[in-house]
Amino acid sequence: PKGEDDERMVYDATANDLNDRVWAPSFWLPSVQSLVRALDKDCWMTDRDVGEMFHNFQLHYKALPYTGIDLVPIYEGVETTESMLAHWDRCLMGFRSSPYNSVKLLLIIEEVVKGDRHNSGTDPLTGAELNPFNWESIRLNLPGPGYDPGWALLGIQGSQRRASRL
């Protein structure tokens, strides 16, 4: 927990003109309405606060030369022949491309974690499925004949049940 005497370094990218020299694509974020349409009575929700995870994702290598930190004020009076500059190499708070880069890398990680959707084996001892993300078909639940308000608009189904989604 943060205390009165804690010292923490935060690289605030809004404090210089780095954002003026960087392009980042816009990307879609879900609204509450679009999120609710994707849920049904069997869904579980989780909070993935990507903003709290910026420091888990590396900054693009081309931005590194512009994130230099002068450490001389911290080490005043220390004699050294080594450089007193350091480079921040993680996504920055206030940096235009940090949200996009973090979400992009998070989605790549998610894809790797899910594994091959075709892997539908079961544990020989317990009978439990080895891949809860396995799916065989997609069911669109659109308004009209066959519409079920208890289901999400898009249902992903495994062999005997609805597949898990991240």
Side-chain angles (χ1 to χ4, degrees):
K2 295 179 184 176
E4 295 286 324
D5 299 324
D6 292 349
E7 292 184 20
R8 296 170 187 237
M9 186 168 73
V10 175
Y11 194 103
D12 180 7
T14 63
N16 59 31
D17 60 354
L18 183 59
N19 275 333
D20 296 336
R21 289 157 172 65
V22 173
W23 176 84
S26 61
F27 63 101
W28 177 82
L29 288 174
S31 67
V32 171
Q33 291 81 13
S34 65
L35 182 62
V36 170
R37 284 196 321 251
L39 302 176
D40 60 30
K41 60 185 172 49
D42 295 322
C43 286
W44 289 78
M45 295 291 297
T46 184
D47 176 22
R48 290 190 265 173
D49 192 345
V50 176
E52 296 292 325
M53 300 187 307
F54 276 5
H55 295 150
N56 290 332
F57 302 107
Q58 284 196 292
L59 195 59
H60 194 277
Y61 73 94
K62 289 184 177 180
L64 292 181
Y66 306 103
T67 63
I69 303 166
D70 182 4
L71 300 175
V72 171
I74 297 172
Y75 297 103
E76 240 178 278
V78 175
E79 300 265 342
T80 181
T81 57
E82 294 182 29
S83 172
M84 295 296 273
L85 292 176
H87 287 278
W88 195 271
D89 70 346
R90 300 296 166 158
C91 285
L92 313 169
M93 296 297 172
F95 190 43
R96 176 173 292 152
S97 66
S98 287
Y100 172 78
N101 288 337
S102 297
V103 169
K104 181 175 112 178
L105 290 170
L106 184 66
L107 291 174
I108 291 170
I109 291 167
E110 184 178 298
E111 192 172 318
V112 170
V113 167
K114 284 182 179 181
D116 183 357
R117 76 167 183 90
H118 297 289
N119 180 6
S120 62
T122 57
D123 186 308
L125 299 175
T126 65
E129 289 197 51
L130 297 176
N131 184 3
F133 303 110
N134 163 257
W135 57 273
E136 296 173 356
S137 64
I138 295 176
R139 177 184 183 266
L140 290 177
N141 186 33
L142 302 175
Y147 175 71
D148 182 350
W151 274 63
L153 293 178
L154 174 71
I156 301 173
Q157 296 180 283
S159 56
Q160 302 297 318
R161 46 91 195 124
R162 293 187 208 175
S164 298
R165 294 183 292 229
L166 281 179

